[in-house]
Amino acid sequence: YIDLSDDERRHEKDICDITNFLLTGLTSREKYIVCQYNGINEKKPKTLEEIGTNLGITKERVRQINENAMKKLRAHALNNSITEDIYKR
């Protein structure tokens, strides 16, 4: 257990809030892949192959979906000035 300061807790909550907001712009499949691949809400990230096996698709298709989802996330962040908000804090 790591004891976080109040500032660190607020920062962690802000990151979670921003991440959840950005993920709302994705389909459920994209969200699943991004979260699994990046270890969001998981103990450790999964490989493209593991995710593909779970979904019944190839690891190449998982890679393509993840790549497109990440483009969507960046566009969503830029369209909502999220990056500016992060650097203002």
Side-chain angles (χ1 to χ4, degrees), residues 4-52:
L4 300 176
S5 71
D6 288 342
D7 284 343
E8 289 170 325
R9 272 196 221 67
R10 274 192 297 277
H11 181 70
E12 190 171 279
K13 183 186 178 325
D14 289 345
I15 289 172
C16 287
D17 291 345
I18 290 167
T19 301
N20 288 328
F21 172 74
L22 290 174
L23 290 172
T24 62
L26 301 179
T27 67
S28 59
R29 181 181 238 189
E30 290 169 332
K31 190 182 305 184
Y32 175 81
I33 289 171
V34 168
C35 289
Q36 293 289 307
Y37 187 67
N38 292 288
I40 299 171
N41 299 326
E42 297 291 323
K43 292 182 181 174
K44 70 173 198 160
K46 292 200 166 65
T47 65
L48 296 174
E49 191 165 351
E50 290 171 321
I51 298 166

Side-chain angles (χ1 to χ4, degrees), residues 60-71:
E60 175 59 18
R61 184 64 187 131
V62 173
R63 187 198 63 74
Q64 292 168 352
I65 294 169
N66 185 64
E67 185 178 310
N68 289 333
M70 295 305 289
K71 288 178 185 175

